[in-house]
Amino acid sequence: MSNTRNNNIITRRSALKLLGLTTAALAAGGTSAMLESCTAHGPGKKKNNRIVLYFTGTGNSLYVAKSLAGDNIVSIPAALRDKRYNYEADEIGLVYPKYGPVPQIVQDFLAKARLKCNYFFALITYSHNLKPKDPANLLKVLEGKVKVDYLNGVHMVDNRLYKCDMAQNIKQSGSLNVDAAIAAIKKDIDKSKHYIVEPPTPEPSKGKDQGKKPHGKPEATAQTMFEITEACIGCGICVQVCPRGDYKVVDDVAVAQGPCERCLACAQNCPQLAITPVAGDVNPKARYRNPNVSLREIERSNCQSLIVSPI
């Protein structure tokens, strides 16, 4: 009985590791093709009417980007990896998640990007609410680089593992009417509407927040943000989904080291549930990825290394 069980474990370990290696190669090829299609404007090439730049950890922002521009989307982590910074189209959009200020990886990209368009729009996906500082932060980052014609938010599933029960949030996700909200925004953009959201000023807090601080200091690193448990089998999925390239596999175990983007892609996409936030994990058995986005798409968006290899 024990021998049979051990054989099953080995087979599963090998299969998952093979999955990590295979999807790495697919991710590398898919991203390059996507970027080429969005930036090629030479002889015989048709200029794209709309390009959407996006950053995603669990697929929410990627789903919004696809809903607005189909295949004409560009992953910001992949663009940074491939050093592709020049984009020109009639319309250029930006989609990213809110979890504090503008994500550092988005700021890094925008600092180098050259954007030429007639109409620029931006969407912030959020789980709780937008505050006045959220659009203000983005407008400051984009100041002098591109004129923002449209800026709005999309309320989506709260995927903060340290703050909520992911299983309950998934069950209640239908009440958010995400598709209707995206459709309304797409209608605005299709009409080149000019609009900058002005979120209401939040009321003063009536008590101290009893929850733990989710992210710590901005300089927090992956090894201080996450714990890798004994459930890890070294499949390498975390290597492919981390937009900062913080993960490596050493002796069949994942190792985290590097500046953390705080997107939760590693924890949410780990098939073994082996990565858990140090700040807390309300339901360690529940994880989330947007139901309209595949693991392969997340890997293709964020992959920073071409193969799973030891440090």
Side-chain angles (χ1 to χ4, degrees):
M1 179 71 174
S2 60
N3 289 337
T4 301
R5 184 180 180 185
N6 287 337
N7 288 336
N8 288 338
I9 292 175
I10 292 172
T11 300
R12 187 181 185 193
R13 179 188 295 267
S14 300
L16 282 170
K17 183 173 291 186
L18 180 61
L19 174 63
L21 288 165
T22 303
T23 51
L26 290 170
T31 301
S32 297
M34 183 185 299
L35 288 171
E36 288 292 346
S37 70
C38 288
T39 57
H41 304 303
K45 300 288 185 179
K46 183 178 179 180
K47 179 180 175 182
N48 292 314
N49 183 55
R50 177 182 295 170
I51 296 172
V52 175
L53 311 163
Y54 72 94
F55 167 55
T56 196
T58 57
N60 284 342
S61 294
L62 172 52
Y63 178 59
V64 173
K66 291 197 301 181
S67 299
L68 297 176
D71 293 333
N72 292 335
I73 58 177
V74 178
S75 159
I76 286 175
L80 282 167
R81 182 198 67 200
D82 297 336
K83 296 180 171 58
R84 296 176 180 270
Y85 306 124
N86 300 323
Y87 297 90
E88 179 178 357
D90 291 337
E91 303 169 353
I92 294 180
L94 172 68
V95 185
Y96 67 86
K98 168 197 168 178
Y99 47 75
V102 178
Q104 187 60 50
I105 200 166
V106 176
Q107 294 188 51
D108 293 346
F109 171 77
L110 292 175
K112 299 177 180 180
R114 294 183 179 180
L115 310 175
K116 185 177 181 180
C117 60
N118 298 319
Y119 182 82
F120 183 89
F121 61 93
L123 297 174
I124 304 172
T125 59
Y126 65 95
S127 60
H128 184 53
N129 56 36
L130 281 181
K131 298 179 180 180
K133 66 180 180 181
D134 297 318
N137 286 336
L138 178 59
L139 291 173
K140 184 176 181 180
V141 170
L142 290 171
E143 187 175 3
K145 180 169 289 288
V146 67
K147 177 181 176 294
V148 179
D149 298 292
Y150 186 93
L151 199 168
N152 210 339
V154 183
H155 189 188
M156 305 190 79
V157 176
D158 189 342
N159 54 24
R160 299 172 296 173
L161 298 174
Y162 47 81
K163 205 80 168 176
C164 60
D165 185 330
M166 204 65 256
Q168 290 297 321
N169 281 13
I170 291 173
K171 288 181 180 179
Q172 298 168 5
S173 61
S175 63
L176 298 177
N177 297 316
V178 172
D179 287 336
I182 295 174
I185 288 172
K186 186 175 185 300
K187 186 176 180 181
D188 286 347
I189 295 170
D190 288 344
K191 293 181 178 180
S192 299
K193 181 177 179 179
H194 287 253
Y195 173 76
I196 304 295
V197 65
E198 295 184 8
T201 302
E203 296 182 3
S205 176
K206 296 181 180 180
K208 293 183 178 180
D209 186 359
Q210 299 300 316
K212 295 181 180 180
K213 292 290 184 180
H215 300 316
K217 298 179 180 180
E219 62 270 19
T221 58
Q223 63 266 40
T224 62
M225 297 294 295
F226 298 100
E227 176 186 359
I228 301 172
T229 72
E230 293 181 354
C232 175
I233 63 170
C235 69
I237 297 299
C238 55
V239 178
Q240 306 307 321
V241 300
C242 177
R244 285 290 185 184
D246 286 347
Y247 286 85
K248 302 291 182 182
V249 174
V250 181
D251 296 331
D252 290 336
V253 177
V255 176
Q257 185 174 15
C260 182
E261 194 56 48
R262 303 172 298 185
C263 64
L264 293 175
C266 57
Q268 293 282 21
N269 289 290
C270 175
Q272 296 297 106
L273 309 180
I275 302 176
T276 183
V278 172
D281 200 341
V282 177
N283 186 345
K285 296 182 179 180
R287 293 295 185 258
Y288 171 80
R289 182 170 63 248
N290 187 286
N292 302 290
V293 172
S294 68
L295 174 59
R296 182 176 295 178
E297 287 179 291
I298 301 292
E299 293 174 315
R300 186 179 298 156
S301 298
N302 292 349
C303 178
Q304 294 299 310
S305 61
L306 300 182
I307 60 173
V308 180
S309 59
I311 291 178

